[in-house]
Amino acid sequence: MGVSEIYGRSDYAIIGSLVEPGTRVLDLGCGEGLLLSWLKENKRVNARGVELVGASVQKAIACGVSVYQGNLESALEDYPDRAFDYVILSQTLQETRHPLKVLEGMLRIGKHAVVAFPNFGHWSMRMAHLFTGRAPKTPLFPHDWYDSPNIHFLTVDDFEALAHKQHWRIERRIFLSGSRQVTMLPNLTAEVAVFLFTAS
Amino acid sequence: MISSTATVTFDSLDLDCGVTLAPVDCAYETYGTLNSEKSNGILVAHAFSGDAHAAGDGGWWGNMIGPGKGFDTDQYFVICANVLGGCRGTTGPGSINPATNGPWGMTFPVITISDMVRLQKKLIDHLGIARLLAVAGGSMGGMQALEWAVSYPDQVLAALPIATTHRHSAQQIAFNEVGRQAIMADPDWQGGNYYDRRPPARGLAVARMVGHITYMSDESMREKFGRRLRNSDEFEVESYLRYRGYKFVDRFDANSYIYITRAMDIYDLTQHGSLPSLFENIDTRFLVISFTSDWLYPSYQSLEIVSALRSRNCDVAYVNLQSAYGHDAFLVEVKEQTELVTGFLKSTAREASVGRK
């Protein structure tokens, strides 16, 4: 059984498939540790997580996953260089205060970084903005502007440009629309983008 | 669950202060069954005023230890020993000094947390356990769990330091000193030589009253007592503290109070190196728990330990549990701790392939 069937999150399915068995994995903003539990069970990884919400941390620890309760941006600072094979940031990049610092931190402590984020360039966002003239509210970004956890909005092309500027090497790029993978015009068609990358 | 306190006598114990204590009694209880590989042993270390009676009727952690509980005695073999310096069966200042045939009193050598752990190690060896599945404890028990992990990393698969610190702050030392001074100010203390006469009950009771204040929180005291009166000239809180103080006198020795609080105060895990350096190459898994309203052992102290562990990429889980009960929370917040401890121990045992029987 794949991850997506278990948890219904397509980005988990993709991330699950990117991680090599027996590796050391850190999941930033790991919630209740579902992805980590799956990776532990199915890929025999050494799983660690960081999560801010106490109730989620409790559930994760109760499931046997070693999760640290803390802010992920400051948590990155404690870990030694290259402590992990993969550092995962799933659907949280757009919520961080200093995304570039977070990404650089991930590449310092991990050999590979994996980010998954909702693509603000998706056609539905563009249409919503164009036709309503208001802050877009779509199934992908369901929040009102005043109570959204998202504070940075980025597109597939934005991330590619940043990676180019920082000389990061993108090893895999996977684009999803629902649970379907898309390849054509990802900046327009992808709802979620997953990047596996390393420092150059 | 029935378990009675057993006592084992060891020939000697070398103390940090250079003195060799001989012989040394160690009182302990066990719950559950040690499996054939002797791999399911869990040592539970008691806090300052606890004893070997951890589980069952009146056990100090009875809600956490037992069949189907956090420390599940259907799965694990749980051991709890009275600490060195104690007064509940293990050698302490109230024991007989073989050289004089009288009680040690204040001539008892200075003891440390690592001395307590060294005695526990002898007990674990005596029970034939080469490697513990876990060492767990709150408050002073948490100090012992930390000490175990650092002193015997290969013999402890997991450590659960709860509501604790790797060294006391000035505030913690200050409260302990008030307790000690209350005892020593009692004329009945007699320099510690009171074993054949009236013990310093008033001093010890006052010391305990101060202790109880530090174990609660403003919120829990407000809820529990408020400004309610017990009778026309006595607040509920006064009556409660006095009751707890005088109950304590029946089961605790004033000199043990002085020696054990001193051991806590002088404990400093970093005296042998920085905290991160002590956790270098430690494979022990950690579950660190603190409580939001615990102002005696505030969560920043747990975070110092956790930060150091993470800086050495040790396997550590940490949560700051929401609670209004102050330092007492580790004895009171059963539901949350049960879930955490159950999951943590289960995954530790599974990864180490620890059998049930």
Side-chain angles (χ1 to χ4, degrees), chain A residues 24 40-41 46-48 50 54 57-58 61-69 74-76 78-80 83-84, chain B residues 285-287 303 306-307 310-321 336 339-340 342-344 347 350-351:
Chain A
R24 297 163 301 166
K40 235 176 128 162
E41 201 63 41
N46 187 335
R48 312 277 172 79
V50 176
V57 175
Q58 281 172 241
I61 297 174
C63 293
V65 182
S66 295
V67 173
Y68 159 76
Q69 185 182 3
S74 49
L76 280 170
D78 278 336
Y79 294 108
F84 300 97
Chain B
R285 291 186 83 198
F286 283 81
L287 171 60
L303 275 168
V306 172
S307 275
R310 288 170 55 241
S311 77
R312 288 298 178 268
N313 208 16
C314 294
D315 187 341
V316 55
Y318 166 71
V319 64
N320 187 27
L321 284 181
E336 283 77 8
E339 285 171 10
L340 294 169
T342 303
F344 178 75
S347 61
R350 193 176 52 219
E351 277 154 39

Side-chain angles (χ1 to χ4, degrees), chain B residues 171-172 175 213-218 291-298 326-327:
Chain B
Q171 179 177 270
Q172 288 159 324
F175 280 115
I213 299 168
T214 66
Y215 304 153
M216 293 185 278
S217 71
D218 180 40
F291 297 90
T292 51
S293 58
D294 184 350
W295 57 275
L296 185 60
Y297 289 79
H327 187 53

Side-chain angles (χ1 to χ4, degrees), chain B residues 36-60:
Chain B
S36 52
E37 302 93 54
K38 303 194 173 188
S39 59
N40 66 340
I42 296 177
L43 177 70
V44 169
H46 69 72
F48 162 64
S49 65
D51 56 26
H53 187 54
D57 196 24
W60 60 267

Side-chain angles (χ1 to χ4, degrees), chain B residues 184-201:
Chain B
M184 293 191 235
D186 186 328
D188 290 335
W189 183 58
Q190 295 285 323
N193 300 315
Y194 52 78
Y195 290 104
D196 57 351
R197 58 190 92 125
R198 198 168 59 188

